[in-house]
């Protein structure tokens, strides 16, 4: 069972907000949503294709994967910003 659009938005906002707090950033709600959803895609790709972990549905594992993907995204963006 996959996530609907509302599920992606909720997971994205929560994951983006958590990543923002852990990584020491200060963004708004829309940025948290974008970071969270892109982080969920990044984390889902890594979990599914590289680690062989099936991720889907509205559960804690999905939130954890989205959160870790969002943290990775913020880390990589921080590296790019430092070099520029």
């Amino acid at each position: 069972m996959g996530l609907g659009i509302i599920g992606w938005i909720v997971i994205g906002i929560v994951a983006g907000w958590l990543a923002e707090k852990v990584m020491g950033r200060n963004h708004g709600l829309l940025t948290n949503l974008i970071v969270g959803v892109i982080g969920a895609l990044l984390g889902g790709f890594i979990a599914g294709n590289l680690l062989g972990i099936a991720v889907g549905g509205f559960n804690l594992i999905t939130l954890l994967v989205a959160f870790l993907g969002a943290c990775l995204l913020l880390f990589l963006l921080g590296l790019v910003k430092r070099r520029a």
Side-chain angles (χ1 to χ4, degrees):
M1 183 166 124
L3 288 175
I5 188 71
I6 301 298
W8 276 108
I9 290 171
V10 170
I11 291 286
I13 290 172
V14 172
W17 180 79
L18 287 171
E20 171 188 76
K21 297 304 176 196
V22 168
M23 299 300 288
R25 306 284 164 69
N26 189 17
H27 302 118
L29 183 65
L30 183 60
T31 304
N32 287 345
L33 170 63
I34 293 168
V35 167
V37 170
I38 293 172
L41 293 171
L42 179 63
F45 174 80
I46 291 170
N49 293 326
L50 301 179
L51 302 176
I53 301 170
V55 179
F58 193 80
N59 55 41
L60 187 60
I61 300 298
T62 303
L63 179 60
L64 181 63
V65 167
F67 163 70
L68 292 174
C71 286
L72 179 62
L73 179 64
L74 288 176
F75 174 75
L76 293 174
L77 288 174
L79 289 178
V80 169
K81 277 184 134 178
R82 256 187 263 164
R83 290 187 179 215

